[in-house]
Amino acid sequence: MMNTTLAQRVCSVLINSHNTKRPLMLASWHAMRARISLVDFVLDVRDARLPLSSQCDILDTSFTSRRIILFNKLDLALPLPSLSKEWMAHFQSQNFATCGVNSHNKHSIQQLLNFLQGQVRSLRKTDPERNTITMMLCGVPNVGKSALANALHQIGRISAAEKGKLKHAVVSPFPGETKSISSLKVIHDRADHMAQEFQIASHPSIYILDTPGLLPPKMTDCNVYAKLALTGAIEDSLVGEKLLAQLFLSILNLSNEHQKWKKQSTLELAPLVKDDKTDNLVSNKTRKDDSSTDHTKDSVVLSVRSRLAEAISSFKGNLQEEEDMMRLIEVEFLSLREAFNVYTGSDEEIDYKVAVKLLNLYRTGRLGQYILDSL
């Protein structure tokens, strides 16, 4: 459940910044509309935490056939497997093919590749001469389109005859880093055109087209935009890290997640980056130095969980009341200064540092897994 007042504050901050980018968004929308009619499949990539809010609205009116909905970041929506399955069943009842995936897990990506190849085989039953298949990735910013494309490429090239010749997409943790559509000329059976595509399979050849993340040109639902901002689809600086952290705390305070933290040890904490011997696709280069300021250390995460659980459990106010909710959030921010060992600077600077660390832990699943939309 999301605090309405905080969601409205997020929305009001975003309206001005959103309007300045409107012409660019409209141009991108028109470019993608022109591409959609040229591809065989559209891969509608959504954040598994936001099965509805992260939908790419361009697909609602321009494309319905051969649309596949992919719920990425499934690891951040678990351990709510039954709810995740309910969402997939919901869309399957509307005749959409669906698949959940974790773009950083080799086994999950292999399953996705097998699933996509199965969809291609079904298509070729009606057109057996089709030797080249194209798929376009669509989605909001930072939903993981480029990460999925690279992971599929990495898995697919292992058995591809063209090993070593396939092109990667640029991946960034920041929304909006994919600036254009990628790079390799593909001659389709129907037309000869340039597209930003790279190969993920052969026999038949399957090409993926990576595209920029798109937000709706018009802001119509404050709750949707607040959720998108909280999960990182909108640049934090446009909203303000502290406001986003307050929004997360309002969700945590109204959930039961903190009750699981009262008796936890480091053995119960999932590692942020798995060892290379596991099936994780994250490189060793992403590991951070172990230091007293590293907020991802298990001991720090445990302290954060413990302090938040204590603050929520001991709070006597009514969290349905706006004033009481903000009073608890203020207490939590003060407590998190100690958990994160942040003391230097003005109050504003300290709150900013606390907010950045808290948002990172939330977005990497260290403070629980959440599905923010309701079925």
Side-chain angles (χ1 to χ4, degrees):
M1 186 174 180
M2 181 170 292
N3 183 276
T4 302
T5 302
L6 287 172
Q8 290 174 343
R9 285 176 56 191
V10 170
C11 197
S12 63
V13 171
L14 282 174
I15 287 176
N16 292 331
S17 59
H18 184 74
N19 287 338
T20 62
K21 296 186 177 183
R22 180 176 168 81
L24 179 60
M25 289 184 184
L26 286 174
S28 298
W29 271 53
H30 291 313
M32 286 183 63
R33 283 182 184 275
R35 289 287 185 191
I36 284 177
S37 62
L38 302 174
V39 300
D40 299 297
F41 292 90
V42 169
L43 305 183
D44 179 0
V45 184
R46 304 191 186 186
D47 189 319
R49 297 166 295 180
L50 304 174
L52 280 179
S53 298
S54 62
Q55 66 182 331
C56 187
D57 287 354
I58 190 175
L59 302 178
D60 287 346
T61 57
S62 59
F63 192 90
T64 54
S65 62
R66 295 197 298 275
R67 175 178 170 186
I68 300 173
I69 300 178
L70 303 181
F71 295 104
N72 192 28
K73 306 185 181 183
L74 194 61
D75 53 314
L76 300 181
L78 298 173
L80 300 169
S82 60
L83 187 53
S84 299
K85 290 177 181 178
E86 287 178 11
W87 273 107
M88 286 190 273
H90 169 74
F91 290 108
Q92 288 168 358
S93 70
Q94 301 177 26
N95 297 319
F96 290 121
T98 65
C99 185
V101 63
N102 173 3
S103 62
H104 298 300
N105 184 284
K106 289 183 180 179
H107 178 66
S108 181
I109 290 297
Q110 183 64 65
Q111 287 183 319
L112 173 59
L113 182 58
N114 294 342
F115 171 80
L116 295 177
Q117 289 175 317
Q119 297 294 313
V120 169
R121 285 192 293 271
S122 297
L123 174 63
R124 294 188 76 216
K125 287 181 180 178
T126 59
D127 189 0
E129 300 302 317
R130 182 78 64 83
N131 294 315
T132 299
I133 304 296
T134 55
M135 299 180 173
M136 175 187 281
L137 292 164
C138 293
V140 299
N142 213 23
V143 76
K145 298 183 298 297
S146 295
L148 275 176
N150 277 334
L152 284 166
H153 170 85
Q154 183 177 335
I155 295 295
R157 69 182 297 175
I158 294 174
S159 58
E162 302 83 2
K163 184 176 181 180
K165 299 181 181 179
L166 308 184
K167 191 173 182 64
H168 293 267
V170 176
V171 178
S172 169
F174 304 106
E177 285 299 301
T178 305
K179 302 298 184 183
S180 58
I181 305 182
S182 271
S183 80
L184 150 62
K185 189 173 184 180
V186 180
I187 299 179
H188 298 271
D189 295 339
R190 294 163 292 179
D192 179 5
H193 67 280
M194 290 296 293
Q196 298 178 328
E197 298 172 328
F198 52 97
Q199 193 169 5
I200 65 169
S202 57
H203 311 300
S205 295
I206 303 177
Y207 292 85
I208 290 284
L209 171 62
D210 192 18
T211 63
L214 288 180
L215 294 170
K218 293 184 178 181
M219 190 177 300
T220 58
D221 190 323
C222 282
N223 282 338
V224 167
Y225 265 78
K227 293 173 188 176
L228 290 172
L230 181 59
T231 53
I234 299 171
E235 294 176 43
D236 290 348
S237 59
L238 296 180
V239 181
E241 287 79 0
K242 182 176 180 179
L243 179 54
L244 289 174
Q246 290 174 326
L247 186 62
F248 164 67
L249 288 173
S250 74
I251 294 171
L252 172 66
N253 293 343
L254 293 173
S255 74
N256 295 321
E257 186 67 32
H258 66 279
Q259 296 177 1
K260 307 172 187 177
W261 300 345
K262 294 181 179 179
K263 296 180 181 180
Q264 286 193 327
S265 68
T266 56
L267 297 177
E268 296 175 90
L269 291 178
L272 187 62
V273 181
K274 297 181 182 178
D275 187 84
D276 280 351
K277 294 181 181 179
T278 71
D279 58 358
N280 200 290
L281 290 170
V282 178
S283 167
N284 267 341
K285 295 179 181 180
T286 64
R287 294 181 186 272
K288 296 183 179 181
D289 292 335
D290 183 32
S291 67
S292 60
T293 59
D294 183 3
H295 64 281
T296 66
K297 289 173 58 178
D298 285 351
S299 59
V300 177
V301 176
L302 278 174
S303 178
V304 170
R305 290 182 173 186
S306 175
R307 290 175 184 276
L308 289 175
E310 174 61 25
I312 299 170
S313 299
S314 61
F315 188 71
K316 303 302 182 183
N318 180 3
L319 293 179
Q320 300 300 327
E321 296 291 334
E322 179 67 25
E323 185 176 342
D324 285 355
M325 173 65 78
M326 295 309 298
R327 191 155 52 88
L328 173 57
I329 291 174
E330 184 178 351
V331 170
E332 290 170 324
F333 258 85
L334 291 174
S335 182
L336 288 173
R337 293 183 180 191
E338 297 183 31
F340 288 129
N341 194 29
V342 177
Y343 300 105
T344 59
S346 65
D347 285 343
E348 182 178 352
E349 291 170 335
I350 293 175
D351 283 348
Y352 168 79
K353 294 175 184 177
V354 167
V356 169
K357 293 175 184 291
L358 185 68
L359 286 172
N360 175 262
L361 293 184
Y362 157 65
R363 290 170 178 169
T364 53
R366 306 279 282 186
L367 297 179
Q369 287 74 35
Y370 305 81
I371 294 181
L372 301 180
D373 286 338
S374 300
L375 187 60

